[in-house]
Amino acid sequence: EFWALQDLGKHKLFSEWVALYLMRLNRNKSDSDTQRRTRMTNVNPRYILRNWMAESAVQKANFNDFSEVHLLQRILDRPFQRQQAAEKAGYSLRPPAWAKGLKVSCSS
């Protein structure tokens, strides 16, 4: 996603990573973009549990609304597949502004 690339582009080691990635592409010239994309989507999940998602589900559950807990269970059961419900919930988007300062400990 473009937003993620923008965020990564700000990292101090991003240019080094790009150089290494271009060298790898050069070594694998027989790969088509389609083959490479298929391999990448098979090993890189589209959806992973983020603190803000868990926090949102917990907050609703505190009011006896387990709908988001159930939604997360369904989505994370197939994290590699694009899912309409997950897209609608914003699970592949940049975290919402309210989650910027969110801190979760192991004991939470």
Side-chain angles (χ1 to χ4, degrees), residues 25-77:
L25 290 179
N26 224 10
R27 285 194 314 263
N28 297 321
K29 289 182 181 183
S30 63
D31 278 357
S32 71
D33 286 341
T34 303
Q35 290 170 318
R36 189 169 38 261
R37 178 179 284 275
T38 299
R39 273 198 324 274
M40 288 173 27
T41 56
N42 285 335
V43 297
N44 295 299
R46 180 165 181 82
Y47 312 106
I48 59 173
L49 183 62
R50 302 278 187 192
N51 289 345
W52 71 268
M53 295 172 186
E55 180 65 19
S56 180
V58 166
Q59 291 301 322
K60 288 180 181 178
N62 283 335
F63 292 98
N64 213 28
D65 175 359
F66 295 91
S67 61
E68 194 159 3
V69 171
H70 297 303
L71 175 63
L72 283 169
Q73 287 175 320
R74 285 194 312 274
I75 301 303
L76 297 174
D77 191 43

Side-chain angles (χ1 to χ4, degrees), residues 1 45-48 70-93:
E1 300 298 328
R46 180 165 181 82
Y47 312 106
I48 59 173
H70 297 303
L71 175 63
L72 283 169
Q73 287 175 320
R74 285 194 312 274
I75 301 303
L76 297 174
D77 191 43
R78 297 184 336 252
F80 297 93
Q81 299 172 2
R82 185 181 291 264
Q83 300 173 53
Q84 186 175 0
E87 297 300 311
K88 184 177 177 184
Y91 291 164
S92 65
L93 300 177

